[in-house]
Amino acid sequence: MTDSKIIGRVLATEKAPTTIDNFAFWTNPTLILNPFDIVKVEHVNGSFSYGMIEDISHITDAASFLTNYISSDFGDVGVESPTLRVGMNYVQAKVVCNTKNIYIPCQSNAKVYLATANEIEYALGLKDISNPLVCGYLEMYEGTAGCEKVMLPVRLNSKFIIGQEGAHLNISGISGLAAKTSYAMFLMKAIQDRYLNSEDEEDSVAFVMFNVKGSDLLTIDQPNDYSDEDNPEQARKENLAMYEELGLSAEPFQNVTYYYPYSTEKYWNTYLKPEEVADNVKKKKAKKFKYIYKYDRNNLDLMFSNIDEMQSSIILWQVKANSVLSMIGRNFLKPLRKNVMLAEQVTRKFPFQAGESSTVL
């Protein structure tokens, strides 16, 4: 979309005036707009204000709901109203910015346009990002007549995610439904692409992943076969096109090493079969690990906080909760003589479950 399309004009009435923060505009009742779409408004001194759509309403000249009910022969749903009501859609939007930093209210009857991709980037502050890292994309004007859907990559400063200025990143949502793990994997893939293509040889990044998702994270070095899609070929093409648009490679993670819990039992504490583990070890992309008190006792303090814990329960909770420690078992607890009896009770109550494993990239 190269040219802005006019879609309505600003409304300002005695009871609903425009303000420095909000404005409303009328538009065609059949025009499809969506919440969070960006629109452009003509403003004073040749400037433009940008607004984000917050709500869309439809209004007619009917005085009340009762008017519509009566015109349908007192509630007969099969009767078509003999009188065509005059109606329109009006849209409420919040001011995002102005091209000349003018923040007086938008003027009545000012023209409202759809914004171009470059204008949307400007309005949302997505231009000229230092150390850009792709973290997702935005879609706007989906289904809007007379224009193409706009898809914009969203970039943030990579130094705010990793490095000395890195901050905590929280991904929240409904368990099992919010694609939290999928987004975390996408972001890590973007980070790896960013640093693999970096011209600075001193720039590098490494990830440590703890797998608590079944077998999902145990094949991250293998390409997706899209076998769980209804139309695998179409899904593959759409994903490849999207990754290309975002400037990312569609290759799986590189330089991956898996660490599996060592076991001499018939079952492994991982979702992979023993032959799959052996094959990865043979290909030198996996190793086995185990904890031995004699060699790891100097690292025990890493499991404790600096706060005195009088109930002697911290270490037992670590053994139960953290899958990476699940192979410690009694060999680890024996040297802690004071905790042996309590450890036996907890072990019987919370037996270690097969299927917990750890993955390191």
Side-chain angles (χ1 to χ4, degrees):
M1 185 175 63
T2 57
D3 298 323
S4 298
K5 174 186 176 182
I6 185 170
I7 57 172
R9 289 181 180 263
V10 172
L11 295 165
T13 67
E14 180 182 359
K15 294 183 178 180
T18 61
T19 69
I20 61 174
D21 294 319
N22 301 280
F23 65 93
F25 63 93
W26 59 258
T27 188
N28 191 308
T30 61
L31 180 67
I32 297 176
L33 294 171
N34 301 286
F36 307 111
D37 281 353
I38 298 295
V39 294
K40 182 176 71 171
V41 184
E42 284 185 348
H43 208 7
V44 299
N45 294 349
S47 68
F48 290 92
S49 288
Y50 294 96
M52 178 181 292
I53 293 176
E54 291 189 326
D55 196 13
I56 304 173
S57 303
H58 180 73
I59 189 172
T60 69
D61 60 349
S64 67
F65 295 148
L66 187 61
T67 305
N68 285 34
Y69 176 80
I70 294 174
S71 65
S72 296
D73 196 14
F74 294 91
D76 188 344
V77 296
V79 172
E80 294 294 337
S81 176
T83 304
L84 179 63
R85 294 288 178 187
V86 178
M88 70 167 189
N89 285 0
Y90 71 92
V91 182
Q92 294 172 300
K94 178 174 286 293
V95 176
V96 176
C97 68
N98 180 275
T99 55
K100 295 184 178 180
N101 291 324
I102 297 174
Y103 290 102
I104 64 173
C106 294
Q107 305 299 293
S108 177
N109 212 38
K111 294 179 182 179
V112 180
Y113 303 87
L114 296 177
T116 65
N118 287 332
E119 290 168 340
I120 295 172
E121 282 188 324
Y122 170 80
L124 298 179
L126 300 179
K127 284 181 171 290
D128 302 324
I129 302 295
S130 301
N131 308 302
L133 171 68
V134 175
C135 63
Y137 65 93
L138 293 174
E139 288 185 342
M140 292 193 184
Y141 308 143
E142 184 173 6
T144 303
C147 73
E148 298 178 357
K149 180 176 70 173
V150 175
M151 190 189 89
L152 292 174
V154 178
R155 298 177 176 88
L156 51 76
N157 190 329
S158 62
K159 301 299 182 182
F160 296 158
I161 297 294
I162 52 181
Q164 295 180 350
E165 300 177 5
H168 173 75
L169 173 67
N170 183 56
I171 306 173
S172 60
I174 299 174
S175 178
L177 299 175
K180 299 182 294 297
T181 301
S182 298
Y183 180 70
M185 298 298 289
F186 169 84
L187 191 59
M188 286 190 288
K189 180 64 171 64
I191 292 173
Q192 188 179 68
D193 279 7
R194 163 78 169 77
Y195 282 90
L196 285 177
N197 297 324
S198 175
E199 297 180 357
D200 189 348
E201 296 182 356
E202 295 184 357
D203 274 352
S204 63
V205 66
F207 305 119
V208 178
M209 305 181 192
F210 294 89
N211 179 40
V212 292
K213 299 289 290 184
S215 59
D216 288 358
L217 302 185
L218 300 180
T219 54
I220 60 175
D221 63 325
Q222 301 176 23
N224 188 356
D225 58 6
Y226 299 95
S227 58
D228 57 343
E229 300 287 347
D230 295 333
N231 190 333
E233 186 59 26
Q234 180 180 352
R236 187 184 71 84
K237 289 181 178 180
E238 291 177 353
N239 277 355
L240 290 179
M242 184 177 298
Y243 269 68
E244 183 177 356
E245 184 76 18
L246 296 176
L248 299 175
S249 73
E251 299 298 322
F253 282 93
Q254 301 181 38
N255 305 326
V256 179
T257 301
Y258 298 102
Y259 287 80
Y260 305 112
Y262 176 80
S263 176
T264 57
E265 305 295 333
K266 294 181 180 180
Y267 64 89
W268 287 64
N269 202 15
T270 176
Y271 278 91
L272 294 184
K273 298 178 181 178
E275 51 269 25
E276 294 175 318
V277 174
D279 182 62
N280 284 341
V281 173
K282 184 179 179 181
K283 293 177 179 177
K284 297 183 178 181
K285 66 177 184 179
K287 296 180 180 180
K288 305 172 188 176
F289 74 88
K290 63 180 178 180
Y291 289 90
I292 301 176
Y293 174 72
K294 181 172 63 174
Y295 301 117
D296 296 302
R297 61 185 177 182
N298 292 331
N299 297 325
L300 287 179
D301 60 329
L302 298 177
M303 301 170 60
F304 294 90
S305 68
N306 293 325
I307 302 174
D308 290 338
E309 210 290 305
M310 304 305 296
Q311 302 300 320
S312 301
S313 60
I314 292 181
I315 189 64
L316 298 175
W317 171 249
Q318 291 284 354
V319 172
K320 172 185 175 292
N322 290 340
S323 59
V324 71
L325 302 177
S326 60
M327 296 305 294
I328 292 174
R330 298 180 183 177
N331 289 333
F332 176 81
L333 294 174
K334 280 181 179 179
L336 306 179
R337 301 295 184 183
K338 295 181 181 180
N339 294 333
V340 168
M341 184 175 297
L342 186 56
E344 292 287 346
Q345 295 173 358
V346 173
T347 302
R348 286 195 295 271
K349 188 175 181 181
F350 302 106
F352 299 129
Q353 300 294 324
E356 299 175 348
S357 61
S358 63
T359 306
V360 176
L361 175 60

